[in-house]
Amino acid sequence: MRSIDQFVEGLCRIPERDFDVPRVAAYIGEEPVDEESLERFSFFQPTHYTRNLIYKCGLFEVLAICWDVGQASAIHNHQGQNCWMSVPIGRLAVQNYDVLGQDAGGYCALQPAERLLMDPGHPSYVDNDRPIHAVLNLAEFNSRALSLHVYSRPYDRCLVYTPEQKSYREVPLFYDSEYGRRNPQTIAHA
C-alpha cells in the first residue's frame, strides 16, 4: 500500500507526453492508496457529496470525493478532459449515458448505457467516446465511500444534464476543502 502523498508523487513522475488514459489507468491500478493517509481529506456532508482538493498543477489535479450513503452526482461531463477514478473506501456505481441528440441551445436527449461498479480492486476511467455519466453511492451499498479522482487537465466548469427536461447547462465547480482545510464558503451553505 502507498500513502496518498506517494500516490501524488508517482503521478508527478509521469512525463506530460505519457500522461494519457492507458498510462495513468495502469498507474492507478498498480497499488491501492492507504485509507489512513486519506483521513485529512475526508470531509463528509449529509446534504451533498464533497469535493476535496488534494493536489493541483497545470497538468492534473487529484480530489478525494466523499459520498454518504445514497448520495449521487448529477449527470455530467468533464469538458473533454481525462478522468481516472479509484475507490479506496467503499464502492460506487458509475452510470454511463449515450447522447441521442444535442444542440447548442441547451437541448440534449440521453439514454442510459452500461453501469459499472468500482471498489478498491476495480478502478476506472471516463471513456472519451462516452464521457457523460453519474457516480452513485447506492443505498443498497449501505456504506460511506471515498473515491480518488485524477483530472487532466484541471477544469472549473462542466455540463450538467437533466434527462427529464431533455436539457443541459454549464455549472461552476467548487472545492469543499483544499489541501486538508475546509472551505468556509461551503461550510456555510451545507
Side-chain angles (χ1 to χ4, degrees), residues 12-172:
C12 289
R13 286 194 295 271
I14 299 173
E16 184 172 350
R17 70 181 177 280
D18 297 333
F19 211 92
D20 58 20
V21 171
R23 175 65 186 101
V24 176
Y27 173 76
I28 288 173
E30 285 174 6
E31 192 176 328
V33 173
D34 175 55
E35 290 181 33
E36 286 184 24
S37 71
L38 295 166
E39 286 179 9
R40 69 183 191 264
F41 306 108
S42 298
F43 298 105
F44 290 85
Q45 286 287 340
T47 55
H48 64 281
Y49 67 90
T50 62
R51 300 177 77 246
N52 305 286
L53 180 65
I54 294 172
Y55 177 84
K56 186 175 185 175
C57 66
L59 179 59
F60 69 91
E61 67 182 343
V62 179
L63 275 71
I65 300 186
C66 297
W67 310 85
D68 241 325
V69 176
Q71 291 179 340
S73 73
I75 300 169
H76 64 283
N77 75 358
H78 288 278
Q79 295 297 79
Q81 303 305 314
N82 290 321
C83 171
W84 301 266
M85 303 169 279
S86 67
V87 184
I89 301 170
R91 60 183 169 152
L92 296 168
V94 177
Q95 177 64 60
N96 290 314
Y97 290 86
D98 287 326
V99 177
L100 302 178
Q102 184 170 351
D103 67 23
Y107 165 81
C108 185
L110 299 178
Q111 173 178 296
E114 79 279 351
R115 179 178 281 191
L116 59 96
L117 296 177
M118 294 188 303
D119 60 28
H122 300 94
S124 189
Y125 57 88
V126 173
D127 181 348
N128 289 327
D129 293 329
R130 188 177 271 149
I132 298 171
H133 63 277
V135 180
L136 311 103
N137 186 6
L138 300 172
E140 66 198 56
F141 296 163
N142 200 32
S143 177
R144 284 180 162 178
L146 183 146
S147 53
L148 290 176
H149 296 242
V150 178
Y151 301 118
S152 180
R153 299 203 178 257
Y155 56 95
D156 62 1
R157 307 182 83 65
C158 74
L159 298 181
V160 168
Y161 301 82
T162 308
E164 305 80 29
Q165 298 173 358
K166 294 191 175 185
S167 66
Y168 71 92
R169 70 187 189 291
E170 187 175 72
V171 299

